């Protein structure tokens, strides 16, 4: 299977719960390696730009408000089939629908405060990785 990279964000609710370590452990145990990482507080402009595809959606303001409500951890994950693997480890957007054992089932409290973000396709992964990281900040393994 192809080696891929994907952009992951540990959202403010999970950071506030001190679940950073547990969540990164899920990725590592699931076969994904961290190749770049930064803790930061998103500005409104950064959050709006990141979620620009959702600009017209009714939940956009709440989403931006939530994503700027506290610090997040942005990271690049690398591994076989990393984009789909990360989404599988995350579980469904709404934690009520997330499969048992997924990150959202275990750490999310609502559809808004849902613990993690993951890129959903190769094109979005490319855009989202470079939204936060320059090539020199991504550390090759091996
Ligand atoms: P994400 O982008 O954060 O990884 O989540 P996702 O792909 O599973 O879901 P997406 O459709 O991209 O939505 C982005 C975030 O917006 C919030 N949302 N709220 N109230 C609603 O109906 C609703 N739908 C989406 C969620 O917090 C979701 O993670
Ligand atoms: Mg999404």
């Amino acid at each position: 299977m192809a080696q891929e990279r994907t952009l992951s964000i540990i959202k403010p609710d999970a950071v506030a719960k001190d679940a950073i370590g547990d969540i990164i452990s899920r990725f590592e145990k699931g076969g994904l390696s961290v190749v770049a990482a930064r803790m930061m507080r998103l500005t409104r402009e950064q959050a709006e730009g990141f979620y620009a595809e959702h600009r017209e959606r009714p939940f956009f303001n709440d989403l931006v408000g939530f994503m700027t409500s506290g610090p997040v951890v942005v990271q690049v994950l690398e591994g076989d089939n990393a984009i789909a693997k990360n989404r599988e480890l995350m579980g469904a957007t709404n934690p009520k629908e997330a499969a048992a054992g997924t990150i959202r089932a275990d750490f999310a409290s609502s559809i808004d405060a849902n613990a993690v973000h993951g890129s959903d396709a190769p094109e979005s992964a490319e855009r989202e990785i470079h939204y936060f990281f320059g090539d020199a900040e991504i550390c090759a393994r091996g």
Side-chain angles (χ1 to χ4, degrees):
M1 229 173 267
Q3 283 280 309
E4 275 179 346
R5 287 175 175 170
T6 190
L7 193 280
S8 163
I9 303 179
I10 303 178
K11 295 187 179 184
D13 58 317
V15 172
K17 280 181 196 169
D18 287 324
I20 296 170
D22 284 343
I23 290 174
I24 291 178
S25 182
R26 299 286 180 101
F27 296 139
E28 293 182 334
K29 289 189 175 117
L32 299 176
S33 299
V34 178
V35 295
R38 182 188 310 126
M39 190 167 190
M40 62 190 295
R41 184 151 181 166
L42 297 179
T43 64
R44 172 158 278 272
E45 291 67 32
Q46 282 174 317
E48 286 176 353
F50 183 77
Y51 277 120
E53 65 179 304
H54 294 313
R55 196 171 286 279
E56 305 305 325
R57 308 283 286 277
F59 57 80
F60 183 70
N61 258 331
D62 287 348
L63 175 60
V64 169
F66 172 66
M67 291 299 290
T68 56
S69 67
V72 299
V73 178
V74 294
Q75 54 197 331
V76 179
L77 304 177
E78 182 178 83
D80 282 345
N81 215 12
I83 297 166
K85 182 76 203 178
N86 181 36
R87 302 277 300 185
E88 184 187 316
L89 294 169
M90 288 163 57
T93 309
N94 185 344
K96 289 183 187 145
E97 291 160 16
T102 61
I103 293 168
R104 281 169 166 164
D106 292 342
F107 298 103
S109 33
S110 70
I111 194 168
D112 298 304
N114 65 359
V116 281
H117 161 83
S119 307
D120 61 8
E123 299 71 29
S124 55
E126 184 66 18
R127 181 186 85 84
E128 292 175 2
I129 288 168
H130 290 104
Y131 194 82
F132 289 113
F133 295 100
D135 284 330
E137 294 175 287
I138 302 173
C139 302
R141 295 298 190 98

